[in-house]
Amino acid sequence: MLVAAAVCPCPPLLVPEVAAGAAAELDPLRTACADAIGVLAASRPDLLVVVGAGMRGHVWEGGGEASLRPYGVDRTLRLGTGEDPAPLASPSLAVAAWLLERTTIAAPLHACAVPGDAPVDRMLGLGRGLADLADRVALLVMGDGSACRTLKAPGYLDERAEPYDAAVAAALGAADTAVLAGLDAELSAALKVSGRAPWQVLAGAAQSTAGLGGELLYDEAPYGVGYFVAAWS
């Protein structure tokens, strides 16, 4: 059963070594992420599952290793404590590994990558399956909102981006699984949203848990990309 969740964005710039001289710009975002992950630790889970966007779907039982070398930093990060860590082929999981370095969560860990074009029903089903893996399951869900919020955004300006992100932010703050489950895959892809599939895994995991409440800790669009941080418990 899902007992807690943290939702964080996954720009590599969250890692100060990657951001270099611009690191201070995202300090409020880092603080919000740390607060959300603190909720996971306080939930005392039997299992922690990290879910992030990836090029292809894959589950790493026991976690694995992720490298920051693609971003100019010679550093390897670990997710979990497995004896023979496999490479985590997902930038979002690398960012998750960096976030989790700062908080001790004494629970086994699985890492899960989900592709951006994954069908909605499959993501909801995956979430339900993850929630059934242990009596107390916590999720760390990594994904960004629209990358089309400004003229200088990676996806240029799209007038649909701001209302899309506003709806997502409200749903994350209210632990509204129906809104997250109803996010349109085609529109999400057009707006370059990396979080749609991970958020729908969260929605599926939470559907069988009564009484979950949400709190929105961060909702901004630096660099023209929607970043949200939320905690559910």
Side-chain angles (χ1 to χ4, degrees), residues 24 32 45 49 53 56 60 68-69 76 81 87 96-97 101 111 124 154 157 164 177:
V49 182
R56 60 184 182 87
W60 293 268
L68 295 177
R69 291 185 186 91
T76 299
T81 57
E101 281 188 335
L124 297 174
L157 176 65
Y164 178 102
T177 60

Side-chain angles (χ1 to χ4, degrees), residues 66-161:
S67 176
L68 295 177
R69 291 185 186 91
Y71 311 107
V73 176
D74 187 13
R75 186 176 172 193
T76 299
L77 301 166
R78 286 288 300 273
L79 264 179
T81 57
E83 293 183 0
D84 187 21
L88 301 171
S90 167
S92 65
L93 297 181
V95 176
W98 181 83
L99 290 173
L100 288 170
E101 281 188 335
R102 282 138 190 81
T103 303
T104 299
I105 300 179
L109 182 147
H110 291 345
C112 180
V114 292
D117 60 354
V120 174
D121 289 347
R122 188 173 299 174
M123 294 299 92
L124 297 174
L126 174 60
R128 289 190 290 268
L130 293 175
D132 288 339
L133 290 177
D135 289 338
R136 299 180 63 81
V137 176
L139 293 186
L140 172 55
V141 181
M142 307 294 296
D144 299 343
S146 169
C148 303
R149 292 282 295 271
T150 67
L151 292 174
K152 294 184 178 180
Y156 197 64
L157 176 65
D158 189 313
E159 63 182 11
R160 300 170 296 177

